[in-house]
Amino acid sequence: MLEGMSAIEVTHLTKRYGDTVAVRDVSFAVETGEIFGILGPNGAGKTTTVECVAGLRTADGGTVRVLGRAGGDRELRELVGVQLQESRLPEKTTVGEALELFAAFYPDPADWRALAGDLGLGGKLKERFGRLSGGQQQRLSIALALVGNPRIAILDELTTGLDPQARRDTWSLIREVRDRGVTVLLVTHFMEEAERLCDRIAVIDRGAVVALDTPAGLVDRAGALRRLRFRPSVPLDEVLLTDLPEVESVRQEGDRIEVTGTGAVVQAVAATLAAHQIIAHDFRVEQDNLDDAFVRLTSRGNGA
Ligand code: ADP
């Protein structure tokens, strides 16, 4: 495999279901070793996109290359592990049976007993699928996606329906998967999940990518406002701050100052204060989070 090549390259992908254009002109590249998120509201086209990447659907337009190969390449099935939304097994199948069966599909499978242990299912090998908790079922579906020793794991909405603790446990698992050297393509509609887990995120809305960046970059890109509050050690001439290009507004209330701005406003204000030997007491910064950025990005995408 060529060094430095993207693990996944999606270029101008389009997919229709009858008259519905589910994905229109979507392009992104996932680098080896990263956790790449596809974030968007329900119906945005996330699942369709990853199904095309996984070779489970044929694109109507554009190209998908995974590990340098064209989508649909048979060998790719051995290199890409897929955990699809609400994948269910027969109720009576045991954890051990499912893992053993799936492992048999691959030429170089992982040690499924060890994998089950790593995923906290070591004591559940004889348990039937129907008797597992939601969190255990999710862990099993992750184990099944990984049992073939894939280079890429595609995980679709895997924390939907989990309680907060199980969701956090799943996040740790995904980080461990990445730390094993597996590239992760993760579909989610949870902002917090995307923010905590992903190295980069493509925000998809109505079948199109409306932004692609790191979580922090998305917040910046959405023009996120930052609000700074502090008490200067000496009275402050507001012009010092209003002159800064990053600053949008300055308000004084008694001995307190509130500054709003964008970009590197925190650094700019801090540097200005330091240059004038002003100490900022009780310095606080509030910032838009990915939630705010997402709403702004997707409402822009809707032409609002
Ligand atoms: P997401 O994963 O973001 O919720 P999907 O890719 O599942 O979005 O769906 C994108 C659009 O395509 C939606 O409008 C959905 O109703 C439609 N769609 C998805 N799957 C099918 C299908 N098998 N047949 C017809 N329409 C579909």
Side-chain angles (χ1 to χ4, degrees):
M1 212 50 62
L2 298 170
E3 285 303 315
M5 185 187 62
S6 299
I8 299 171
E9 268 178 29
V10 172
T11 316
H12 303 303
L13 178 70
T14 298
K15 178 70 189 172
R16 293 181 206 88
Y17 300 108
D19 290 341
T20 308
V21 184
V23 175
R24 62 186 83 217
D25 199 20
V26 161
S27 299
F28 60 87
V30 179
E31 302 309 325
T32 302
E34 73 177 338
I35 301 180
F36 188 94
I38 297 196
L39 174 68
N42 284 330
K46 303 181 297 295
T47 296
T48 303
T49 300
V50 297
E51 285 177 347
C52 289
V53 171
L56 299 170
R57 288 193 188 278
T58 312
D60 292 315
T63 55
V64 172
R65 291 190 75 77
V66 180
L67 300 168
R69 298 154 200 247
D73 182 318
R74 288 189 75 83
E75 280 178 47
L76 273 183
R77 297 206 191 136
E78 292 165 9
L79 300 170
V80 180
V82 185
Q83 177 269 337
L84 286 175
Q85 220 170 332
E86 292 172 26
S87 43
R88 293 194 67 81
L89 292 167
E91 299 279 308
K92 291 189 174 166
T93 309
T94 67
V95 170
E97 285 165 355
L99 284 164
E100 190 172 15
L101 176 69
F102 274 60
F105 295 151
Y106 297 93
D108 180 27
D111 174 342
W112 57 265
R113 284 191 179 82
L115 183 64
D118 288 349
L119 290 171
L121 293 169
K124 296 279 168 195
L125 293 180
K126 296 213 165 94
E127 192 72 272
R128 293 178 173 183
F129 180 77
R131 295 181 59 87
L132 299 176
S133 70
Q136 289 164 346
Q137 290 185 355
Q138 292 290 37
R139 274 186 251 175
L140 177 57
S141 68
I142 297 171
L144 295 176
L146 297 179
V147 77
N149 260 335
R151 304 261 306 271
I152 295 176
I154 297 180
L155 308 172
D156 191 355
E157 299 280 6
L158 80 173
T159 65
T160 300
L162 295 189
D163 62 50
Q165 185 55 48
R167 179 168 297 150
R168 265 157 226 278
D169 291 347
T170 309
W171 293 344
S172 312
L173 276 178
I174 296 170
R175 290 193 193 97
E176 284 167 27
V177 168
R178 189 259 310 271
D179 294 345
R180 289 165 178 241
V182 179
T183 303
V184 179
L185 178 61
L186 178 87
V187 170
T188 184
H189 67 273
F190 289 119
M191 253 73 66
E192 193 192 357
E193 179 161 295
E195 190 161 24
R196 288 182 178 231
L197 213 49
C198 297
D199 298 304
R200 291 188 308 139
I201 299 169
V203 178
I204 296 195
D205 189 35
R206 298 190 180 187
V209 175
V210 294
L212 196 164
D213 211 328
T214 59
L218 283 179
V219 172
D220 279 347
R221 195 184 277 238
L225 267 193
R226 292 193 173 83
R227 196 179 311 276
L228 285 60
R229 294 199 178 87
F230 57 91
R231 264 186 318 109
S233 53
V234 293
L236 178 71
D237 182 357
E238 278 186 26
V239 176
L240 284 180
L241 301 179
T242 50
D243 273 355
L244 297 171
E246 293 87 352
V247 168
E248 288 198 354
S249 73
V250 177
R251 215 155 52 92
Q252 299 223 26
E253 237 175 66
D255 63 347
R256 304 191 64 82
I257 294 197
E258 183 183 295
V259 181
T260 62
T262 53
V265 62
V266 177
Q267 293 86 330
V269 168
T272 303
L273 296 176
H276 291 83
Q277 280 143 17
I278 298 168
I279 298 164
H281 296 291
D282 303 329
F283 194 84
R284 294 219 164 73
V285 181
E286 286 168 20
Q287 183 178 334
D288 274 8
N289 57 23
L290 194 62
D291 231 329
D292 304 311
F294 178 77
V295 168
R296 217 174 269 131
L297 289 165
T298 50
S299 56
R300 263 187 214 162
N302 289 341

